């Protein structure tokens, strides 16, 4: 028996579009359903996360995920990917090589942030790297709807991907931002961030979604364009980038 998004613990954002804030690191997982395909945006911090997400989505939609879009290469967003066997995995150009080279870094980072040592090792060993590379923009067909993948980085990481779901039936566009935007805390700039380019990435994000879009951050509540502009200005001031 199928359940609703709300019954399964997800927040419905639009027709066939939902997201879940994961326990632990509060990372956002998105899902976009068309008539012939289902895309998940990011996959969680462990294989167990990925498997739980796969089952939850099947429980609501009655069918399996067919596409994975990875917004950036941090452990809490990518280590569940191997739970989605046989799907098409998309990422910013170069992400695949980075993940293949950086399995040990991901494993250590996951453990440092509290992931069980064995769970982190298993997920890193089985990590699935993207085999569809987004250099600029790429449209993915999910049957009755198209999803636009946009390589808008580097900024928060070396490989930042945004996912735009066009509005329909009068509903606004929805933009999954990854950690380019964070609502539940100050945006985090780790060792792989390119702070000088981050404000420009948010300019591209705003141009992509427009003034009326709903912007879904990597961590925290859904925000609007005004929030993204305010965060862009704060990042520019924080990193000494001239206003646009």
């Amino acid at each position: 028996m199928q359940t609703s998004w709300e019954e399964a613990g997800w927040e419905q954002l639009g027709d066939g579009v939902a997201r879940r804030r994961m326990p632990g690191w509060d990372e956002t997982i998105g899902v976009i359903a068309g008539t012939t395909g289902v895309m998940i945006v990011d996959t969680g911090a462990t294989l167990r996360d990925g498997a739980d997400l796969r089952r939850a989505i099947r429980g609501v939609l009655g069918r399996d995920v067919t596409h994975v879009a990875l917004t950036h290469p941090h452990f809490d967003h990518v280590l569940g990917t191997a739970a989605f066997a046989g799907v098409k995995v998309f990422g910013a150009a170069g992400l695949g090589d980075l993940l293949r080279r950086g399995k040990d870094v991901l494993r250590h980072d996951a453990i440092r942030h509290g992931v069980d040592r064995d769970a982190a090792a298993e997920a890193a060993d089985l990590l699935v790297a993207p085999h569809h590379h987004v250099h600029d923009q790429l449209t993915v067909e999910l049957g009755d709807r198209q999803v636009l993948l946009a390589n808008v980085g580097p900024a928060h990481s070396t490989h930042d991907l945004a996912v735009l779901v066009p509005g329909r039936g009068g509903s606004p566009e929805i933009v999954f931002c990854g950690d380019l935007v964070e609502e539940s805390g100050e945006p985090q700039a780790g060792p792989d961030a390119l702070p000088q380019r981050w404000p420009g990435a948010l300019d591209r994000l705003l141009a992509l979604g427009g003034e009326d879009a709903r912007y879904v951050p990597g961590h925290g509540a859904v925000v609007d364009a005004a929030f993204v502009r305010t965060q862009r200005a704060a990042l520019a001031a924080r990193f000494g980038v001239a206003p646009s």
Side-chain angles (χ1 to χ4, degrees):
M1 182 177 177
Q2 290 178 222
T3 61
S4 70
W5 288 118
E6 288 76 13
E7 289 170 333
W10 294 65
E11 175 187 359
Q12 187 161 6
L13 303 178
D15 180 23
V17 186
R19 69 91 174 241
R20 182 180 178 190
R21 292 171 67 172
M22 299 292 284
W25 297 276
D26 189 39
E27 73 272 23
T28 282
I29 306 297
V31 64
I32 306 147
T35 52
T36 62
V38 178
M39 176 178 286
I40 189 170
V41 181
D42 291 336
T43 59
T46 65
L47 287 176
R48 181 174 179 176
D49 283 349
D52 288 346
L53 290 163
R54 184 191 66 209
R55 283 191 294 270
I57 293 168
R58 185 190 300 130
V60 175
L61 297 175
R63 50 203 173 98
D64 285 319
V65 169
T66 56
H67 300 69
V68 170
L70 299 177
T71 62
H72 64 289
H74 294 164
F75 81 94
D76 50 331
H77 296 262
V78 303
L79 283 180
T81 307
F84 297 89
V87 307
K88 299 177 180 179
V89 182
F90 296 79
L95 178 61
D97 289 340
L98 176 70
L99 292 178
R100 282 186 285 269
R101 294 194 314 267
K103 287 185 177 183
D104 286 343
V105 173
L106 271 175
R107 176 170 56 83
H108 286 301
D109 198 33
I111 293 169
R112 182 169 61 87
H113 283 87
V115 175
D116 173 79
R117 186 175 298 273
D118 290 339
E122 179 186 32
D125 286 344
L126 298 176
L127 183 64
V128 176
H131 25 72
H132 297 275
H133 312 291
V134 182
H135 292 271
D136 181 17
Q137 295 185 357
L138 178 67
T139 298
V140 178
E141 303 278 351
L142 299 177
D144 64 334
R145 79 186 322 152
Q146 296 180 329
V147 177
L148 181 68
L149 308 181
N151 185 341
V152 295
H156 169 73
S157 76
T158 52
H159 299 81
D160 292 305
L161 186 78
V163 180
L164 171 69
V165 186
R168 63 181 184 183
S171 62
E173 280 73 23
I174 297 168
V175 184
F176 289 96
C177 307
D179 286 3
L180 288 168
V181 177
E182 296 193 40
E183 184 275 337
S184 55
E186 186 175 86
Q188 298 299 301
D192 61 339
L194 282 84
Q196 296 293 317
R197 299 181 66 171
W198 201 331
L202 293 187
D203 289 337
R204 292 191 290 277
L205 202 67
L206 287 163
L208 186 70
E211 187 63 26
D212 297 325
R214 303 183 73 190
Y215 293 87
V216 186
H219 302 265
V222 176
V223 300
D224 58 14
F227 180 96
V228 178
R229 283 197 302 273
T230 298
Q231 194 156 94
R232 188 250 184 246
L235 285 166
R238 177 178 164 189
F239 298 124
V241 179
S244 60

